[in-house]
Amino acid sequence: MTTDRRAAILEGAARVIARRGVRGLRVEELAAEAGVSTALVYYHFKDRAGVLRHTLEFIGDRAERYTAAAEGATGPSDPRQELERSLLLEFQDTPEVRENSTAWGELRASAIFEPDLRADLARASLTWVHDVAALLAQVCPDVPAPVLTASAERLTALLEGLLSGALTSPHARELLREALSVEISHLQTQ
């Protein structure tokens, strides 16, 4: 039961952050969204900074779950297709993925105002960059790690920018595919 309530609080936090931003997150509103008492939020997370830190982790875990589920359902592919699919899965048109992307963007944008969140966000971003670099290494195995990491940084930064909502999902997917082709072509000349 405790785990269910904790999960409900984290799901509620992701919804509130996606809807109102990090600065708009109030523990009282979060408690109402999650259907729990304010005291229970503080019991599980100590303070607002704890809620933000754990929500960031929750969003990352949830993205891993929906990405892994979609990747597992599509069957085997070559490394380039796996890389492309992994990046494009961030553009799934489902409420959960949209909420996750919006909440991630809000947390990322607010890190400048939330010093406690900055280090956790940097670690999460670095993990994502390393995951993409590992996939790039499968596509271009002879390229040195620092070059792969720089490419992964460009791709993940582009993806985050495309997730801002300024473009339609089909156009954002097309731009990401083109950027991936450019990056792989560049890597193959290294």
Side-chain angles (χ1 to χ4, degrees), residues 1-9 34-36 40 43-44:
M1 186 67 111
T2 300
T3 304
D4 291 343
R5 288 186 178 168
R6 183 177 169 88
I9 294 168
V36 300
L40 192 61
Y43 170 79
H44 283 290

Side-chain angles (χ1 to χ4, degrees), residues 16 19 42 59-61 72 87 100 114 142 151-152 163 171 174 179:
V16 172
R19 189 172 56 238
Y42 286 116
I59 288 169
D61 291 345
L87 294 171
N100 231 42
E114 304 281 344
D142 297 329
S151 181
L163 288 169
H171 187 59
E174 177 185 333

Side-chain angles (χ1 to χ4, degrees), residues 78-126:
D78 70 36
R80 182 186 171 131
Q81 287 174 327
E82 184 179 340
L83 173 62
E84 183 177 297
R85 186 174 36 253
S86 176
L87 294 171
L88 292 175
L89 283 171
E90 293 299 325
F91 294 105
Q92 294 178 67
D93 196 19
T94 67
E96 181 182 56
V97 174
R98 281 192 307 270
E99 178 183 281
N100 231 42
S101 294
T102 303
W104 171 263
E106 291 292 331
L107 286 161
R108 187 162 183 69
S110 73
I112 194 163
F113 303 110
E114 304 281 344
D116 295 336
L117 192 56
R118 218 173 286 145
D120 293 324
L121 189 59
R123 272 191 298 281
S125 294
L126 189 58

Side-chain angles (χ1 to χ4, degrees), residues 6-7 10-11 13-14 17 45 49-66 100 103-104 107-108 116-117 119-125 127:
R6 183 177 169 88
L10 291 171
E11 288 171 3
I17 290 169
F45 302 103
V51 170
L52 293 174
R53 214 172 13 265
H54 288 280
T55 302
L56 177 64
E57 184 179 310
F58 170 79
I59 288 169
D61 291 345
R62 187 163 68 172
E64 264 186 47
R65 279 193 309 276
Y66 65 67
N100 231 42
W104 171 263
L107 286 161
R108 187 162 183 69
D116 295 336
L117 192 56
D120 293 324
L121 189 59
R123 272 191 298 281
S125 294
T127 298

Side-chain angles (χ1 to χ4, degrees), residues 160-177:
E160 285 184 350
L162 293 173
L163 288 169
S164 69
L167 304 171
T168 64
S169 290
H171 187 59
R173 284 186 195 103
E174 177 185 333
L175 291 173
L176 187 61
R177 281 188 184 103

